[in-house]
């Protein structure tokens, strides 16, 4: 996958987690899907206090895209819970 900025899933997840924590997100967990969804980046986090879910989702995806270099369909195959 040529659009990736990191060589392994572990490096990618760590970089995204660090960036989200730096941006003020709390309870951050970042991983990848299993089985046929192995390439999807999965983010579980709580937003900043008082931040609506949709704003949290949009900001988390923006940060993840910047850090990883992901692009394309389904927000670069990034899920935010």
């Amino acid at each position: 996958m040529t659009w990736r900025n990191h060589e392994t899933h572990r490096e990618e997840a760590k970089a995204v987690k660090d960036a989200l924590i730096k941006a003020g997100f709390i309870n951050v967990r970042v991983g990848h899907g299993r089985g046929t969804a192995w390439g999807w980046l999965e983010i579980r986090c709580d937003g900043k206090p008082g931040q609506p879910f949709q704003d949290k989702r949009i900001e988390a995806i923006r940060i993840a895209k910047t850090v990883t270099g992901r692009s394309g369909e389904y927000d670069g195959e990034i899920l935010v819970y």
Side-chain angles (χ1 to χ4, degrees), residues 42-63:
E42 297 179 348
I43 301 171
R44 289 173 172 80
C45 63
D46 294 332
K48 301 167 188 169
Q51 185 179 32
F53 174 78
Q54 191 62 20
D55 292 345
K56 173 193 88 166
R57 183 184 165 281
I58 290 169
E59 186 176 358
I61 288 174
R62 181 187 56 78
I63 291 168

Side-chain angles (χ1 to χ4, degrees), residues 11-42:
E11 290 174 6
E12 183 178 56
K14 182 172 178 9
V16 171
K17 182 176 182 176
D18 293 344
L20 289 171
I21 290 171
K22 186 176 179 182
F25 287 86
I26 54 175
N27 298 328
V28 179
R29 292 183 305 172
V30 180
H32 288 82
R34 304 285 186 262
T36 58
W38 68 271
W40 284 73
L41 183 66
E42 297 179 348

